[in-house]
């Protein structure tokens, strides 16, 4: 009403008001606003007569003694129409109840309704809330606006003045967007908060700690990301009686709920919760119903008292199907996982009750008895949290690798008691404190942490210099006492100088060798001959009609490359990668390839042509394709490839050196791989290309190289890439027959949280995993399957699909798995050109064959992870190349190996620390 005095040019309605007032002295102050209301709404009770006294018998209206309207109740009357702005003049209104009608339009400003205690607008057709919603309503106690088709809205970060008596806030299915409205978390009076079926994303704020909320309903958020993060803050909300968080994206464990002694209803079904169900929940005496299904909960099957209505069994990863303790090794491993806050990847992989069984557990390797856990390798798993002292209970452990994670805290002293420990690698974490004193037989890698003060422990100083130089690692460092340390340091300096000089010499030598080879190179066969896919392997690109819709509506949290969402975080509009100095001019590439001369063609395929080029003395492979402007497919693959290759660098992935866009033409420049493709070597029996047959050792090494490259793709720090088209023609060999994976045009980026997503089918027949071919569901296991097929091809020397053979033998995978059942028959199927005369080779062959079988399991969950493949292949290769410690130090994961043997070999080299480098020569 303060607006009455305003000199600004909208006086007319107020004039009318002022003129009318004296004419209706006998009526209520609120007559006009109520008349307005009566005129704006239709289907009202007949007693609502405009221009009559609303305090006289209007149904649902109450007034106070001074004839001010205090209550309007028009609930459930099928009223339509809209609310007039003049409703804001009903300043004595305490209760406005309009629920379950069809009132539409905007909710007008209510900020002058300072007396309003109860506002109920739910189940109408209101389209928007006023910008000043909630402000000014200082006496509001109860608010309900559920089930309205509001435009997306958010609550302001603060309300001034805040509603000081609000006990109930209900806005479910009301288009509330953004993150959890923290302004509500801090209201000291709030008891009931219902925000289900909105568009909220993000986590539960820490400010909920100590809140007075008793009933918390945040279930079924409709946003793509849903609500995420951990739920530990509810442990600090002791008033809670009801917690509904179902159908969201919450992760991490159920916290200790022992302080919630009034909790009656606990529903967290359909989230991604991990870890063991705490006894603080199962034994909670106030509990009446609980729903835990469809999470990734682990450990013993939870057992609730018989008067609790419990929904726990479906879709979790409990060790057993019924209550009862887990296998003791499972219990121990879960205690280890607890330290890491129960990572999702472990929950996915650690299923069943036997960590040494046929389902490989991520990072866990057992001895041949299948009983004792010997290796825990959790490198590069993005782990957070601490190293659990309970690891010390796994007494059979020989190797513990925790490198390249974000672990904090100290190395527990208990680990020094592990009787069989040989290697402890905690490099590149955020560990603090002092490194405990391990037995001298333990190889320690501790660099890249924040241990102690420098100088206090020469052991940690020694460790970091030892590892960072890439040579052998030191053992315990107990020998480095004060008088020796100077000598040691000088020794290191000399060593480093020798190493640098040696490396320089090697590089120069390599360059000279390459120049010499230049003339001979033309006789090598095409490098990127994906073209053989055009002859007998059909490359398929099918589009299932509504995949993008699927992806969105299923909330898989996945976006294809260059869809709106992913580019926002990855590379807005695909542009930032064009700033990385990798652009090359078309002129330089013309020059490098002698104007794309036919003589320089290395290969042709569906994608275009690959040329050999000489870029200022450096040999390169230039892939040139026309971008189809209609389908945009070419452009997407081009960008996918650049995008992947600028983010990934690994010695088993072909490196991208540059790119060029020239009109509709797209060019990618790679390192040149003189050895051709694996396919050339394996399948060219007539040897028309002059490629040498690969020896068994070379094949083993290639298998490990490929496994390492793909493992790296699958376990990058931020993202998971899936290759989707792994096959021998995409595996390139260098001059030493070491392999690198190439062709990233079909690579998909999968959000970490999601294991499998629907996608456009892409790949090559024969290498397609069954579930991918049938359902289009893609996961990293698609690459594992293809890898298994390649292992079979390496062993048999035949192609996966061979039409020249009888029908029942034309499919290698079927035939190979069948042959494996009979050892003699299997040995007959092995490539006859392989020399397998010694037992070691034969054992390695059988091991690789078994891995191939495992990788091609029909069910994707039965296939191992790529890291498991690396772990199984590495020891086989190490038998041949025992000095591979140098490789490990380049950051690779590795393996459950013959540690004793390696240790011995390494020790004999200990005095000549440069010896390792000789293997590079
Ligand atoms: C009030 O309305 C009721 C019916 O709605 C009617 O029976 C009654 O006579 C009315 N009283 C007055 C004073 O108008
Ligand atoms: C959500 O609200 C709309 C009206 O805006 C209603 O039609 C729909 O049934 C509600 N959905 C649920 C799940 O209650
Ligand atoms: C959530 O937001 C999207 C757009 O961001 C919108 O299309 C959808 O209707 C909203 N859903 C609800 C329940 O508010
Ligand atoms: C909650 O707050 C109390 C004190 O204000 C603090 O001691 C406690 O650690 C907090 N808990 C959480 C989960 O933030
Ligand atoms: C590990 O051993 C310690 C000491 O014996 C024991 O207190 C602890 O409970 C054990 N941890 C597990 C997970 O069994
Ligand atoms: C390995 O398991 C066997 C039983 O299968 C047991 O006898 C042996 O002690 C175990 N070794 C270690 C180191 O725990
Ligand atoms: C390591 O921990 C310190 C403090 O504990 C923190 O400031 C720093 O950001 C952490 N570094 C990493 C890489 O996590």
């Amino acid at each position: 009403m303060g607006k009455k005095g305003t000199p600004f040019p909208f006086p007319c309605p107020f004039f009318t008001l002022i003129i009318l007032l004296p004419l209706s002295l006998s009526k209520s102050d609120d007559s006009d606003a109520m008349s307005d209301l009566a005129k704006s709404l239709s289907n009202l009770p007949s007693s609502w007569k405009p221009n009559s006294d609303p305090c006289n018998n209007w149904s649902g209206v109450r007034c106070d003694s001074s004839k001010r309207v205090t209550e309007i109740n028009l609930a459930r009357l099928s009223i339509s129409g809209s609310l007039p702005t003049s409703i804001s003049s009903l300043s004595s209104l305490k209760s406005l109840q309009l629920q379950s009608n069809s009132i539409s339009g905007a909710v007008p400003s209510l900020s002058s309704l300072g007396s309003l205690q109860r506002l109920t607008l739910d189940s109408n057709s209101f389209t928007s809330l006023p910008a000043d919603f909630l402000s000014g309503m200082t006496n509001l106690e109860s608010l309900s606006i559920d089930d309205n088709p509001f435009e997306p809205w958010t609550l302001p970060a603060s309300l001034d003045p805040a509603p000081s008596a609000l006990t109930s806030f209900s806005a479910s299915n009301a288009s509330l967007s953004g993150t959890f409205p923290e302004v509500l978390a801090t209201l000291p009076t709030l008891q009931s908060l219902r925000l289900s079926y909105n568009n909220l994303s993000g986590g539960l704020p820490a400010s909920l700690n100590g809140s007075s909320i008793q009933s918390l309903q945040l279930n079924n958020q409709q946003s793509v990301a849903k609500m995420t993060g951990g739920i530990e803050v509810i442990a600090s909300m002791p008033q809670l009686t009801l917690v509904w968080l179902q159908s969201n994206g919450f992760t991490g464990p159920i916290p200790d709920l022992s302080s919630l002694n009034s909790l009656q209803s606990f529903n967290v079904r359909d989230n991604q919760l991990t870890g063991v169900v705490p006894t603080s929940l199962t034994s909670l005496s106030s509990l009446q119903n609980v729903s835990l299904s469809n999470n990734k909960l682990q450990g013993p099957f939870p057992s609730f008292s018989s008067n609790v209505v419990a929904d726990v069994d479906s879709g979790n990863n409990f060790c057993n199907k019924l209550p009862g303790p887990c296998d003791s090794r499972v219990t121990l491993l879960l205690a280890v996982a607890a330290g890491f806050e129960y990572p999702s990847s472990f929950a996915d992989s650690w299923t069943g009750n036997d960590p040494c069984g046929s389902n490989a557990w991520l990072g866990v390797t057992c001895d041949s008895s299948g009983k004792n856990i010997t290796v825990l390798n959790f490198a590069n798993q993005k782990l957070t949290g601490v190293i659990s002292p309970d690891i010390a209970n796994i007494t059979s452990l020989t190797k513990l690798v925790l490198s390249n994670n974000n672990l904090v805290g100290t190395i527990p002293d208990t680990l020094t008691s592990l009787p069989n420990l040989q290697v402890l690698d905690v490099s590149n974490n955020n560990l603090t404190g002092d490194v405990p004193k391990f037995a001298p037989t333990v190889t320690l890698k501790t660099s890249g942490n924040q241990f102690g003060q420098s100088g206090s422990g020469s052991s940690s100083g020694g460790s970091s210099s030892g590892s960072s130089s890439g040579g052998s690692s030191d053992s315990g460092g107990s020998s480095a006492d004060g008088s020796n340390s100077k000598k040691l340091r000088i020794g290191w300096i000399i060593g480093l100088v020798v190493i640098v000089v040696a490396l320089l010499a090697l590089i120069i030598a390599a360059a000279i060798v390459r120049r010499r080879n230049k003339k001979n190179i033309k006789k090598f066969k095409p490098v990127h001959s994906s073209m053989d896919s055009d002859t007998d392997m059909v490359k398929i690109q099918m589009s299932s009609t509504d995949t993008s819709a699927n992806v969105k509506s299923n909330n898989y949290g996945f976006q294809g490359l260059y869809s709106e969402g992913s580019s926002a975080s990855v590379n807005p509009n695909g542009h930032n990668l064009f700033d990385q100095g990798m652009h090359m001019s078309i002129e330089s590439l013309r020059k490098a390839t002698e104007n794309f001369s036919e003589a320089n063609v290395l290969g042709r395929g569906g994608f275009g042509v690959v040329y050999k080029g000489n870029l200022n003395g450096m040999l390169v492979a230039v892939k040139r394709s026309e971008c189809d402007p209609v389908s945009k497919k070419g452009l997407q693959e081009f960008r996918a490839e650049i995008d992947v290759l600028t983010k990934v660098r690994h010695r088993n992935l072909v490196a991208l050196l540059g790119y060029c866009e020239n009109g509709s033409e797209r060019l990618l420049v790679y390192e040149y791989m003189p050895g051709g493709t694996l396919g050339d070597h394996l399948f060219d029996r007539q040897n028309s290309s002059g490629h040498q047959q690969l020896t068994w050792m070379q094949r083993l090494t290639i298998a490990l190289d490929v496994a390492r490259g793909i493992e790296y793709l699958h376990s990058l720090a931020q993202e998971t890439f899936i290759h989707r088209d792994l096959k021998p023609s995409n595996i390139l060999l260098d001059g030493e027959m070491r392999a690198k994976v190439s062709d990233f045009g079909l690579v998909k980026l999968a959000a970490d949280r999601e294991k499998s997503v629907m996608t456009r089918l892409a790949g090559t027949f024969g290498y397609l995993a069954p579930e991918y071919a049938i359902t289009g569901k893609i996961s990293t296991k698609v690459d594992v399957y293809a890898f298994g097929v390649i292992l079979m091809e390496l062993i048999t020397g035949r192609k996966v699909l061979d039409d020249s053979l009888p029908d029942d033998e034309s499919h290698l995978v079927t035939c190979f798995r069948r042959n494996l059942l009979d050892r003699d028959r299997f040995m007959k199927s092995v490539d006859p050109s392989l020399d397998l005369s010694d037992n070691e080779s034969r054992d390695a062959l059988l091991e690789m064959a078994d891995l191939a079988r495992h990788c091609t399991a029909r069910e994707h969950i039965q296939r191992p992870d790529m890291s498991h493949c690396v772990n199984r292949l590495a020891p086989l290769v190490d038998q041949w190349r025992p000095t591979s410690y140098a490789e490990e130090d380049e950051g690779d994961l590795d393996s459950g190996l013959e540690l004793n043997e390696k240790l011995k070999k390494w020790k004999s080299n200990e005095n000549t620390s440069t010896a390792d480098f000789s293997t590079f020569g």
Side-chain angles (χ1 to χ4, degrees), residues 547-612:
T547 45
S548 61
N550 270 343
V551 167
K552 264 190 189 144
S553 64
N554 289 340
N555 293 341
Y556 276 122
F558 163 85
Q559 282 109 8
L561 285 164
Y562 304 100
S563 71
E564 317 103 85
S566 76
S567 25
S569 60
V570 175
N571 52 341
N573 309 321
H575 280 316
N576 72 355
L577 52 89
F578 296 96
D579 301 335
Q580 298 184 356
M582 297 185 74
H583 188 271
M584 294 180 177
S585 71
I586 185 71
E587 287 74 29
S588 65
L589 296 181
R590 281 221 177 88
K591 193 165 153 232
T593 58
E594 296 168 326
N595 202 16
F596 301 110
S597 108
E598 205 54 30
N600 285 332
V601 172
L602 292 170
R604 287 176 209 278
F607 55 83
V609 186
V610 180
Y611 298 85
K612 190 181 72 182

Side-chain angles (χ1 to χ4, degrees), residues 206 209-210 232-233 236:
N209 182 359
E232 57 279 356
V233 70
S236 58

